[in-house]
Amino acid sequence: MLDFKKEIAKEIADVINLDANELEKYIEIPPNRDLGDYAFPCFRLAKQLKESPLIIANNIKENIKTDKNIVEKIDIIGGYLNIFVNKQTLTKVVLQDIAKNKEKYGSSNIGEEKNVVIDYSAPNIAKPFHIGHLRTTVIGGALYKIYKFLGYNSIGINYLGDWGLQFGKVMAGISLWKDEYDFTTNELESILKIYIRFNQEEKEKPELTEMARSYFKKLEDGDEQALKTWEHIREISLDNYKKTYQLLNSKFDSYNGEAYYNDKMEPIINELKEKELLKESQGAQVVNLDAYNMPPCIVITSAGTTVYATRDLASLKDRINKYNFDKAIYVVGNEQSLHFKQIFTVLELMGYENYASKCEHVPFGLIVDKEGEKIGSRKGNSIFLEDILNESIDKVKDIINQKNPELENKEEIARKVGVGAIIFNDLSNSRIKDEIFDWDMILNFQGETRTIYTIYICKNKKLT
Ligand code: ARG
């Protein structure tokens, strides 16, 4: 493929009689594409050419050849030449490249032999897997595929929230209200309804919280019956989530979640102790982060229990040992930004700065409804992400029946367009700002959804 950078360097070299290979190294990409496609810093040649940057810039601008249709326009700003490439040539080159490389267009091997660990989705078992976990699943899934496309070995980790007080709540709730729910046909839904009810009633009745704690303690102490229930809930939840992952085409290489690290925290705690990083503070064991303007990272609470941060430190160390990663990405909401800053800083303080610098939190905003209210916080909202995806598929089916009733493969196209529209809505919104979830916008057939629809219909026509 035509290399614009090389060609521009050659043309500049022709004007000022310097070596094109040397000049190519100076060419930059402007921070803002409105400024141009490439930028050339003339001030870097001032000494060598014994001219002012402005004179050099004017000389190049006036004498550069445009007959090869590489350069279209040049602006001079602050010692820089801002260069715009010829759009017709660019279009031609890109289309030729796509035609030649087909599905491989844009791929590369820059990641060869490098491991990228991507922590995404990570729903909390025994709590509803609702739309709140859509963004991490979609954004993480896109990163997983992009890194693969660039030749990296992508490792998708679904760090399930499969340990914690929520299990105590569910177990206590089941013991209180089991008879009021249908456990034969709708077990998981009943469990989730009990969890939601427990959280509501607990606000008025603090004794419920105590009850949940003692159930969770049973689990932590390894009570056989409690562990059996825990395992069962984890299993039926995961079976259910897998239906959503299938619809979204999400891939994971590991489902090791918080519970997996439950009995693997001692080494990291010992290491923190040996490195004299753990300090006592109000009965808790913490790593002081004053020097970084952060609150301390609590590793062991005053009650002697470990926390989310302890497990994340243990799992991060495990990822270093297992994958020797080139990058570790955590796709988790904005609200956990401080948590990850603390974890990465503790890792650095432990002496693993070369790994700490390869860790990155990829945050995102909430999903809200048209009124700006967090979705899932009001009653009546779906507790399963799968239901929302199926709703989208059904809505697309209705549209197809109105607009294109004769279409072949209606089911398949409705599924692809319905799920595609939700994914597109997510990825086309700002990652950081809150995302508005509005069916009219998602399934607006005047906009991008129609593009997705058309692509699938065309693909389908080709196949038949
Ligand atoms: N389960 C957590 C939540 O839903 C997210 C876990 C993210 N990953 C991690 N390694 N902490 O809030």
Side-chain angles (χ1 to χ4, degrees):
M1 187 178 127
L2 184 76
D3 185 338
F4 278 91
K5 203 170 166 188
K6 250 194 175 48
E7 294 301 318
I8 290 169
K10 270 195 224 156
E11 302 213 0
I12 296 176
D14 277 353
V15 180
I16 52 177
N17 277 326
L18 289 177
D19 177 38
N21 289 333
E22 268 313 296
L23 295 181
E24 191 187 336
K25 291 184 199 147
Y26 295 156
I27 297 179
E28 302 170 16
I29 307 276
N32 175 352
R33 273 293 158 101
D34 292 343
L35 292 172
D37 299 300
Y38 293 99
F40 185 79
C42 295
F43 48 85
R44 295 188 63 174
L45 299 177
K47 238 190 192 160
Q48 200 175 350
L49 294 176
K50 300 197 181 70
E51 297 276 15
S52 78
L54 190 62
I55 290 182
I56 300 172
N58 277 324
N59 179 24
I60 298 174
K61 181 176 168 163
E62 263 148 43
N63 295 306
I64 199 161
K65 288 199 213 88
T66 51
D67 54 349
K68 275 203 236 154
N69 290 331
I70 299 287
V71 174
E72 188 165 275
K73 186 179 96 156
I74 293 183
D75 289 337
I76 299 175
I77 300 178
Y80 272 100
L81 288 174
N82 285 342
I83 303 164
F84 294 82
V85 300
N86 183 302
K87 296 287 175 293
Q88 255 174 355
T89 310
L90 177 65
T91 311
K92 204 169 104 194
V93 167
V94 169
L95 290 179
Q96 277 169 350
D97 201 22
I98 293 174
K100 188 171 147 223
N101 291 301
K102 305 208 171 56
E103 279 83 2
K104 290 227 160 56
Y105 171 75
S107 66
S108 117
N109 56 6
I110 53 165
E112 225 163 40
E113 316 227 321
K114 289 182 187 152
N115 288 344
V116 177
V117 176
I118 307 170
D119 179 314
Y120 70 108
S121 198
N124 298 317
I125 287 177
K127 288 186 191 177
F129 185 20
H130 60 61
I131 193 155
H133 277 90
L134 176 70
R135 300 208 78 184
T136 162
T137 311
V138 166
I139 297 167
L143 289 173
Y144 182 83
K145 287 180 195 142
I146 291 169
Y147 274 105
K148 251 199 171 140
F149 206 53
L150 293 176
Y152 287 87
N153 181 27
S154 290
I155 298 145
I157 299 191
N158 196 339
Y159 183 75
L160 297 170
D162 52 3
W163 199 252
L165 190 60
Q166 74 261 34
F167 286 95
K169 293 186 184 188
V170 166
M171 288 179 198
I174 292 176
S175 76
L176 290 169
W177 309 310
K178 190 172 194 312
D179 297 340
E180 296 173 45
Y181 295 84
D182 168 13
F183 270 78
T184 41
T185 49
N186 271 328
E187 192 180 5
L188 185 58
E189 212 170 318
S190 302
I191 288 173
L192 298 177
K193 281 187 178 147
I194 286 178
Y195 174 77
I196 293 168
R197 175 172 169 189
F198 197 94
N199 277 298
Q200 269 158 5
E201 295 202 9
E202 181 185 34
K203 284 181 203 144
E204 325 264 276
K205 300 183 197 148
E207 64 275 16
L208 285 183
T209 314
E210 272 321 301
M211 198 174 163
R213 284 221 175 93
S214 73
Y215 267 94
F216 182 52
K217 178 133 193 352
K218 271 193 198 171
L219 193 58
E220 289 212 291
D221 292 344
D223 177 275
E224 213 170 296
Q225 191 52 41
L227 272 173
K228 242 185 170 166
T229 312
W230 168 79
E231 207 165 340
H232 178 65
I233 298 177
R234 187 184 190 274
E235 204 175 292
I236 57 171
S237 304
L238 209 49
D239 278 350
N240 178 276
Y241 301 168
K242 283 186 177 163
K243 289 194 261 169
T244 303
Y245 293 142
Q246 206 167 5
L247 280 173
L248 288 169
N249 196 16
S250 316
K251 301 266 188 304
F252 301 100
D253 303 283
S254 160
Y255 285 89
N256 284 350
E258 292 190 49
Y260 177 80
Y261 292 97
N262 234 353
D263 53 358
K264 297 181 182 61
M265 282 176 285
E266 222 178 281
I268 196 92
I269 294 171
N270 287 340
E271 193 175 338
L272 285 164
K273 274 188 196 149
E274 273 161 29
K275 294 185 172 161
E276 295 182 6
L277 289 167
L278 278 192
K279 301 269 170 310
E280 166 143 7
S281 165
Q282 296 164 12
Q285 296 287 322
V286 308
V287 179
N288 187 303
L289 298 173
D290 280 354
Y292 300 86
N293 280 328
M294 280 187 262
C297 178
I298 300 175
V299 178
I300 302 172
T301 66
S302 53
T305 56
T306 55
V307 283
Y308 184 52
T310 329
R311 284 188 279 279
D312 251 333
L313 284 170
S315 66
L316 183 47
K317 186 76 198 299
D318 187 39
R319 288 172 197 183
I320 294 176
N321 294 340
K322 262 196 193 128
Y323 305 114
N324 184 21
F325 56 73
D326 205 61
K327 221 171 179 23
I329 296 172
Y330 291 81
V331 189
V332 190
N334 276 334
E335 66 282 0
Q336 292 191 27
S337 290
L338 175 63
H339 166 77
F340 285 107
K341 262 195 214 141
Q342 290 178 310
I343 299 296
F344 302 159
T345 309
V346 172
L347 189 72
E348 193 182 316
L349 288 171
M350 290 175 82
Y352 301 111
E353 48 283 76
N354 52 335
Y355 284 105
S357 63
K358 293 172 181 166
C359 293
E360 193 176 349
H361 173 213
V362 173
F364 52 82
L366 294 174
I367 298 190
V368 294
D369 61 18
K370 271 195 276 192
E371 282 79 42
E373 199 171 321
K374 187 173 166 183
I375 292 208
S377 60
R378 272 198 297 187
K379 61 177 181 338
N381 282 319
S382 292
I383 46 181
F384 293 120
L385 182 50
E386 187 199 351
D387 293 339
I388 290 168
L389 294 172
N390 281 329
E391 197 173 333
S392 184
I393 296 170
D394 285 345
K395 284 179 196 281
V396 173
K397 238 184 262 170
D398 288 346
I399 300 173
I400 297 178
N401 283 333
Q402 281 165 28
K403 289 185 188 281
N404 218 340
E406 303 306 321
L407 188 70
E408 276 177 60
N409 285 1
K410 256 192 246 181
E411 294 284 325
E412 191 195 337
I413 289 180
R415 182 171 55 78
K416 287 183 169 164
V417 176
V419 175
I422 300 245
I423 294 177
F424 183 84
N425 181 62
D426 197 281
L427 294 178
S428 60
N429 265 284
S430 150
R431 177 162 57 81
I432 299 297
K433 279 195 222 147
D434 288 351
E435 167 185 324
I436 297 170
F437 192 89
D438 171 12
W439 282 119
D440 294 338
M441 227 155 69
I442 294 171
L443 298 179
N444 176 2
F445 262 63
Q446 305 311 318
E448 308 292 356
T449 306
R450 186 168 67 180
T451 315
I452 304 176
Y453 184 61
T454 314
I455 290 171
Y456 281 122
I457 291 181
C458 293
K459 268 197 170 172
N460 189 44
K461 284 240 166 77
K462 243 190 192 166
L463 288 174
T464 51

